[in-house]
Amino acid sequence: MKKLLLYSFTCLSLVVLLSGCSSKGGNSSSKTGIPYANRKSKNNASGAFAVATQYKRAPGPGLIPIEGGVLVVGGSAIEIPGVEPNIYNYKRQVTVPSFYMDETEVSNTDWLEYLHWIRYNYPEDREFYYNELPDTLVWRSSLSYNEPYVDNYLRHPAYRDYPVVGVSWEQASRYCEWRTSRANEFILREKGILTDYKTLSAGTTGKGNNAAAVPKPDKPFNTDAYLNGQYDDKGKNAPVDYNTKAGAATTTAGTGKGNAQPRRTATLEDGVIMQPYRLPTEAEWEYAALGLIGNTEYENINQNKIYPWNGLGVSSASKKTRGMIQANFKRAPGDYMGVGGSLNDKGDLTVPVIQYAANDFGLYNMAGNVNEWVNDVYRTGTFTDADAFNPYRGNYFTNKKLEDSQNGKIALDKYGNPIKENAYSGRKQTWAEKQAQAKRVDSISKSTDPQSITASNNYQADQRGYRDKQNLLLNEEGVTLVNDKSRVYKGGSWNDMAYWLNPATRRFMQQDESSAEVGFRCAMTMLGAPEISTAGKRSFKTPPPKPYRVKGR
């Protein structure tokens, strides 16, 4: 079995920061003729523009690329006699952009790493640690002896590569945020853009008379705070600040020729900061699970699927594995794993996150084992209402709360994470509107409960469609079962019949609830061109831009 390491960077290619030599021709602007800034340029003193011309995108740790395309959501749905059609399963053609997705579900070891980080960095904060503990009592049943799983499933090495369960949607979302900052910090320290781990551990830099103490960060690294210039740590390979007139860099470093130049923090323009990890949207999850890329030739789908594998059944048709069950699920009432000596799916409850064959995208256990949280708020009519491009229901637009509106300093909580508040506007405000808004927010927050900021805001940031008339799902007491905290989960589990293995099926649960049958995996937005590989594919030849040349040079 493969080892699952969160910080496996074998798939990461090196990113070259701010090189002035473009691989597509020229080292100067094609529109102004001004040379781009680089280490050798004589134009740097005039505030020349630096460009990351050699950026190469790559997936973050644990992720694999998923090339997007057209999907008929609900198109793989099947009807089974005696089974009610799955919750108003509409069929509609949509387009899913390319993205990255975890190869496997998040495992117990992955979650224990998260808990270890909390205990190491906040040893006295028992509430923080407790809030991120999975609910192991999800295994408890009044008429089943499951106490060994309550005590052992999360922590015992026998289950280290099994999917973490008992995790709510809210906990999974916080894990994604934590993972984003940890992975970005690792990249930046390994590249020396932040103080490298060896220097940070030693506490000093240089030798003899040149030795200097390295200040310890007062709060853990946070990606948003770093990008906003609120994490002041510049390593020996931090980007050179060529724009010295406008720059506010406080650190200098040699360029290799005895010269000292100011350094700055990395920015999004450098291309070294990864996009945030997050839960996949429902459309992304269904598209990735179905894996029709293996059944497509020149835009023609030669064979549809009802599961993440080909065929109408749940057993393998391959010669070497013929008859073997291809996912971990309940084959019949009371049959969780088959007959001793010939176990059909080789799992009683969950199984390791790498088990069975991957689908055509290279994803494991997209059917069975555990259901998986997706990002969407549940609505019966999501795919009739949502946009045809990248459909999603659950947007809650927020701003990072400002601590100092004049200097753009964002407010951070005690863990160094940005404090979020409702967005103020659906468009870019004018400078005057922005200043007036900042004064209004400051006056409200100082005089009353900060929640009144939301009440005084005319912009409706929440676009979840909570007035959807199709949500008249009531229980016996007449109370609605659907609200703004109802989140979708998909995929089927060890405790589900084969019907729920179909990627089109969908169910929901409250975002603060958890189950022994629900886990999750993360996704990440892919930026740039949607095509992942151009090898062997037809394409138009694009000539490189012609460098601008001044007459007489």
Side-chain angles (χ1 to χ4, degrees):
M1 184 190 302
K2 294 181 183 177
K3 275 192 173 181
L4 296 178
L5 297 176
L6 180 64
Y7 297 144
S8 172
F9 278 79
T10 56
C11 61
L12 281 178
S13 61
L14 293 178
V15 177
V16 180
L17 288 178
L18 295 183
S19 169
C21 182
S22 170
S23 60
K24 293 189 177 182
N27 61 353
S28 60
S29 168
S30 62
K31 300 298 184 286
T32 65
I34 300 174
Y36 294 144
N38 58 51
R39 296 179 187 273
K40 297 180 180 180
S41 176
K42 298 178 181 180
N43 196 49
N44 296 338
S46 63
F49 181 47
V51 179
T53 55
Q54 296 185 30
Y55 165 74
K56 294 180 181 179
R57 72 181 181 193
L63 302 172
I64 59 175
I66 308 293
E67 186 168 284
V70 171
L71 167 70
V72 178
V73 285
S76 63
I78 55 175
E79 293 186 12
I80 297 178
V83 177
E84 185 178 350
N86 178 238
I87 43 180
Y88 308 99
N89 204 353
Y90 297 101
K91 298 182 179 183
R92 181 189 175 196
Q93 182 170 278
V94 300
T95 292
V96 177
S98 298
F99 62 103
Y100 301 109
M101 197 169 196
D102 269 340
E103 181 183 27
T104 70
E105 299 142 340
V106 173
S107 71
N108 286 322
T109 296
D110 298 331
W111 198 269
L112 289 174
E113 180 186 20
Y114 178 34
L115 295 177
H116 166 77
W117 181 90
I118 295 173
R119 186 162 51 188
Y120 179 82
N121 286 278
Y122 300 97
E124 305 301 323
D125 196 334
R126 297 180 64 85
E127 181 182 5
F128 186 14
Y129 185 84
Y130 180 82
N131 287 341
E132 299 312 307
L133 281 173
D135 182 4
T136 59
L137 297 181
V138 294
W139 290 111
R140 186 167 285 174
S141 174
S142 58
L143 294 176
S144 180
Y145 180 59
N146 287 346
E147 290 306 296
Y149 307 114
V150 173
D151 297 332
N152 295 301
Y153 181 82
L154 173 65
R155 299 183 183 276
H156 198 281
Y159 297 106
R160 67 176 184 237
D161 292 328
Y162 285 56
V164 66
V165 297
V167 172
S168 68
W169 180 95
E170 293 174 349
Q171 287 177 308
S173 296
R174 290 194 294 268
Y175 172 87
C176 292
E177 294 176 2
W178 168 84
R179 183 178 174 185
T180 299
S181 290
R182 301 291 69 74
N184 274 324
E185 180 184 16
F186 185 82
I187 291 173
L188 293 172
R189 294 201 186 282
E190 285 291 290
K191 293 179 179 296
I193 297 171
L194 292 177
T195 303
D196 61 87
Y197 286 111
K198 183 178 179 180
T199 303
L200 196 65
S201 178
T204 60
T205 181
K207 296 180 180 179
N209 296 331
N210 296 323
V214 175
K216 295 282 185 181
D218 58 342
K219 288 183 179 179
F221 174 89
N222 176 271
T223 300
D224 288 325
Y226 176 78
L227 288 173
N228 202 52
Q230 292 177 230
Y231 189 86
D232 190 14
D233 182 351
K234 301 179 186 70
K236 61 183 180 180
N237 295 328
V240 174
D241 188 357
Y242 295 111
N243 195 355
T244 53
K245 182 178 180 180
T250 58
T251 301
T252 59
T255 61
K257 293 186 178 181
N259 297 322
Q261 291 188 346
R263 300 282 178 168
R264 59 169 177 78
T265 57
T267 64
L268 276 180
E269 291 93 327
D270 296 329
V272 71
I273 299 289
M274 290 191 306
Q275 289 295 294
Y277 285 90
R278 57 175 173 77
L279 292 175
T281 67
E282 182 176 2
E284 286 175 337
W285 196 98
E286 184 174 337
Y287 178 86
L290 202 56
L292 286 173
I293 194 170
N295 299 37
T296 304
E297 186 176 3
Y298 301 116
E299 288 199 89
N300 296 313
I301 298 174
N302 52 43
Q303 184 178 358
N304 284 313
K305 295 179 179 179
I306 58 174
Y307 301 113
W309 52 83
N310 287 328
L312 301 177
V314 295
S315 57
S316 173
S318 299
K319 186 175 181 180
K320 292 183 178 179
T321 56
R322 184 166 297 162
M324 294 180 66
I325 301 296
Q326 301 191 81
N328 178 24
F329 66 101
K330 185 168 62 175
R331 192 165 62 169
D335 181 2
Y336 289 87
M337 58 180 177
V339 178
S342 184
L343 301 181
N344 56 48
D345 65 20
K346 306 185 187 303
D348 46 5
L349 299 174
T350 59
V351 297
V353 294
I354 294 184
Q355 186 100 327
Y356 315 109
N359 75 355
D360 287 330
F361 277 123
L363 303 171
Y364 289 89
N365 286 312
M366 292 300 284
N369 207 22
V370 289
N371 289 285
E372 298 179 14
W373 286 114
V374 298
N375 220 358
D376 291 57
V377 169
Y378 173 77
R379 289 293 183 269
T380 56
T382 287
F383 294 117
T384 59
D385 301 334
D387 290 349
F389 179 77
N390 207 12
Y392 169 66
R393 170 164 266 154
N395 281 316
Y396 192 82
F397 304 114
T398 60
N399 291 334
K400 299 179 185 71
K401 184 177 180 180
L402 292 177
E403 182 179 279
D404 184 345
S405 57
Q406 293 300 315
N407 296 317
K409 186 177 181 181
I410 59 176
L412 305 175
D413 63 19
K414 64 180 180 179
Y415 304 115
N417 301 318
I419 299 173
K420 304 289 182 65
E421 58 187 4
N422 278 4
Y424 304 139
S425 174
R427 61 171 178 80
K428 179 183 176 182
Q429 295 174 304
T430 65
W431 179 254
E433 289 173 336
K434 186 175 177 64
Q435 299 311 305
Q437 178 72 43
K439 289 180 180 179
R440 185 170 69 89
V441 171
D442 286 342
S443 63
I444 293 174
S445 61
K446 290 176 182 176
S447 60
T448 60
D449 185 340
Q451 294 297 327
S452 62
I453 297 174
T454 301
S456 66
N457 188 2
N458 293 326
Y459 173 60
Q460 175 54 265
D462 192 338
Q463 298 293 328
R464 299 182 184 183
Y466 56 89
R467 295 187 180 89
D468 188 344
K469 295 180 180 179
Q470 297 176 7
N471 290 319
L472 300 179
L473 298 179
L474 307 178
N475 61 15
E476 295 178 356
E477 288 75 32
V479 179
T480 181
L481 299 176
V482 179
N483 54 46
D484 282 348
K485 292 188 176 181
S486 302
R487 298 284 177 170
V488 179
Y489 64 88
K490 298 171 74 73
S493 77
W494 58 270
N495 197 29
D496 286 317
M497 303 292 281
Y499 172 74
W500 295 103
L501 306 186
N502 177 260
T505 57
R506 55 199 302 255
R507 289 175 282 184
F508 68 93
M509 188 165 61
Q510 294 300 95
Q511 66 184 40
D512 58 355
E513 295 178 346
S514 58
S515 166
E517 303 164 24
V518 179
F520 73 102
R521 73 181 73 209
C522 302
M524 180 184 288
T525 299
M526 181 186 294
L527 304 181
E531 192 171 48
I532 297 211
S533 174
T534 59
K537 298 178 183 177
R538 297 174 297 172
S539 62
F540 293 104
K541 289 186 178 180
T542 304
K546 296 179 181 179
Y548 176 81
R549 300 187 185 280
V550 179
K551 248 185 180 182
R553 288 191 178 181

